[in-house]
Amino acid sequence: MKWLSDVSLTPHHTFGLPAHAHAIAEAHTVVDLYAIWQHPDFLALPKLVVGEGSNLLFCQDFQGVVVLNRLTGVSVDDHADHTILHVGAGESWHDLVAWSIDNDLPGLENLALIPGCVGAAPIQNIGAYGVEFCERCAYVDILNPVTQEMRRLTRDDCQFGYRDSIFKTSALQGWVITQVGFRLTKAWQPILKYGALAELESEHATPRAIFDAVCAIRQAKLPDPRVCGNAGSFFKNPVIEARQANALQTRYPEMPMYPAGEGKAKLAAGWLIEQCGLKGAKQGGARVHSKQALVLTNADHATSQDVVRLAKRVVNEVQARFGVTLHHEVRFMGAQGETSLEAQ
């Protein structure tokens, strides 16, 4: 365990916005987690577990302890028709994907270059290019640092939805993700149904080729947070009634639309934002990315309020034009815990 002397949160989230915590600690083991929660100076303070901070917007200084999850380790259990990966929650997500390709363990390649740590994947049920985390999840191990109880949740226990899970609810408040299990089938098949991957020929679509293609696509469209602060896709792709989606597509024949089951359809939030002429739009130091309208950036020493005001403008203009409400994928953090755009 390591307590940091500098309590600035700027280097600990990819937006790179100015914010501070009451205290910041690194946890490298389960014992570290126990010690942090039992520290007499911080017993009454809220705790926030952070990996790489790749999906966070600190709206205010956090009046509690930020715990940097640095639990690492990868082990492999081989079975006749599948492989189970046991991965520490503090491992880099992209490094894990790259390692799996290098070790001939395909199944995660469509999720390459998503920023963040492995422990964040089940919280958001991350997804890209036709694959969601839940499809590869075997289990999620969690710990209550106060009671020292440990539990293993099955995939069904996690109640995964579109960019959603039980970890976003109050049901598991105070629990920490310590390890994630992946089930990778040996009967691998390429998934090429989404976006630019559809241009790959299936007979030539090796896991390495898909991995390389996804990396190239993301690098061409998305800003590197080390160069321009951002939290990736800021908004979820809206899921609406198919009737409303069909009416919109009649007015806008070029509008991307995907089936979402049960009489629903999914729209591309980035396309909706772009049609509102918001690419490159600015609010203070915050800016809608010029190549991908789904991404809001810290273009020039932005504050959290710059980002909030820009996000509200995007939501309002999309609602006014299309009658569709956008919801943020990025998690908003207030002084005591999670909040929302609507509350700002």
Side-chain angles (χ1 to χ4, degrees):
M1 179 180 60
K2 178 182 178 182
W3 291 92
L4 277 58
S5 58
D6 184 357
V7 294
S8 170
L9 291 169
T10 301
H12 301 298
H13 69 294
T14 57
F15 247 125
L17 300 169
H20 292 80
H22 184 82
I24 303 176
E26 291 182 356
H28 295 269
T29 67
V30 168
V31 174
D32 287 347
L33 293 172
Y34 296 153
I36 293 167
W37 261 258
Q38 293 169 2
H39 196 290
D41 292 344
F42 308 121
L43 283 174
L45 295 183
K47 315 293 191 301
L48 174 64
V49 180
V50 173
E52 293 181 2
S54 58
N55 199 48
L56 294 177
L57 175 66
F58 286 100
C59 302
Q60 300 168 265
D61 288 343
F62 184 67
Q63 301 301 316
V65 181
V66 167
V67 181
L68 304 178
N69 189 331
R70 300 295 181 256
L71 278 65
T72 57
V74 180
S75 62
V76 179
D77 282 348
D78 190 53
H79 299 265
D81 61 350
H82 68 277
T83 303
I84 299 292
L85 301 184
H86 310 271
V87 186
E91 291 282 353
S92 160
W93 175 265
H94 178 68
D95 287 352
L96 171 68
V97 177
W99 178 91
S100 70
I101 298 301
D102 290 342
N103 287 274
D104 195 25
L105 295 168
L108 302 177
E109 55 281 341
N110 292 56
L111 304 176
L113 218 59
I114 294 177
C117 288
V118 167
I123 297 173
Q124 287 296 112
N125 187 22
I126 61 172
Y129 301 103
V131 175
E132 288 191 326
F133 165 81
C134 61
E135 299 170 88
R136 304 292 182 262
C137 178
Y139 64 81
V140 178
D141 285 345
I142 60 175
L143 165 75
N144 186 320
V146 176
T147 65
Q148 301 189 9
E149 178 186 357
M150 296 181 182
R151 292 173 57 188
R152 172 163 290 185
L153 303 184
T154 67
R155 180 171 65 180
D156 288 343
D157 291 336
C158 294
Q159 300 178 20
F160 291 120
Y162 174 57
R163 302 297 174 269
D164 200 13
S165 70
I166 194 173
F167 305 105
K168 287 188 171 184
T169 73
S170 59
L172 293 178
Q173 187 173 357
W175 291 76
V176 178
I177 295 173
T178 57
Q179 192 173 57
V180 177
F182 298 83
R183 188 184 192 278
L184 305 179
T185 180
K186 293 184 178 180
W188 178 85
Q189 293 290 327
I191 296 177
L192 307 173
K193 61 186 177 182
Y194 194 93
L197 291 184
E199 300 173 6
L200 294 177
E201 297 180 8
S202 58
E203 60 268 27
H204 302 302
T206 64
R208 173 68 65 181
I210 295 173
F211 174 86
D212 290 342
V214 170
C215 289
I217 293 167
R218 294 184 70 90
Q219 288 170 337
K221 293 173 58 177
L222 302 174
D224 185 339
R226 295 170 297 183
V227 177
C228 181
N230 70 91
S233 299
F234 197 92
F235 298 100
K236 300 177 184 180
N237 289 324
V239 177
I240 63 175
E241 296 293 331
R243 183 185 306 174
Q244 182 187 6
N246 291 331
L248 284 170
Q249 200 167 50
T250 299
R251 292 170 54 196
Y252 307 97
E254 72 283 8
M255 182 186 75
M257 186 174 75
Y258 309 94
E262 300 179 0
K264 305 281 188 180
K266 183 186 295 184
L267 308 183
W271 186 89
L272 299 174
I273 297 167
E274 184 174 351
Q275 298 311 300
C276 292
L278 290 171
K279 266 190 175 180
K282 295 181 180 180
Q283 177 67 52
R287 182 179 182 182
V288 179
H289 189 51
S290 60
K291 292 184 178 180
Q292 172 52 271
L294 196 53
V295 178
L296 306 188
T297 67
N298 176 3
D300 185 20
H301 305 289
T303 66
S304 60
Q305 286 309 301
D306 290 341
V307 179
V308 167
R309 293 188 187 101
L310 182 58
K312 287 185 174 181
R313 176 183 172 188
V314 170
V315 170
N316 290 339
E317 294 199 20
V318 168
Q319 176 66 44
R321 178 162 182 176
F322 296 102
V324 173
T325 301
L326 296 182
H327 299 282
H328 52 90
E329 178 176 330
V330 172
R331 302 181 72 185
F332 283 46
M333 292 296 162
Q336 297 292 321
E338 192 154 5
T339 180
S340 66
L341 177 61
E342 295 74 23
Q344 300 306 301

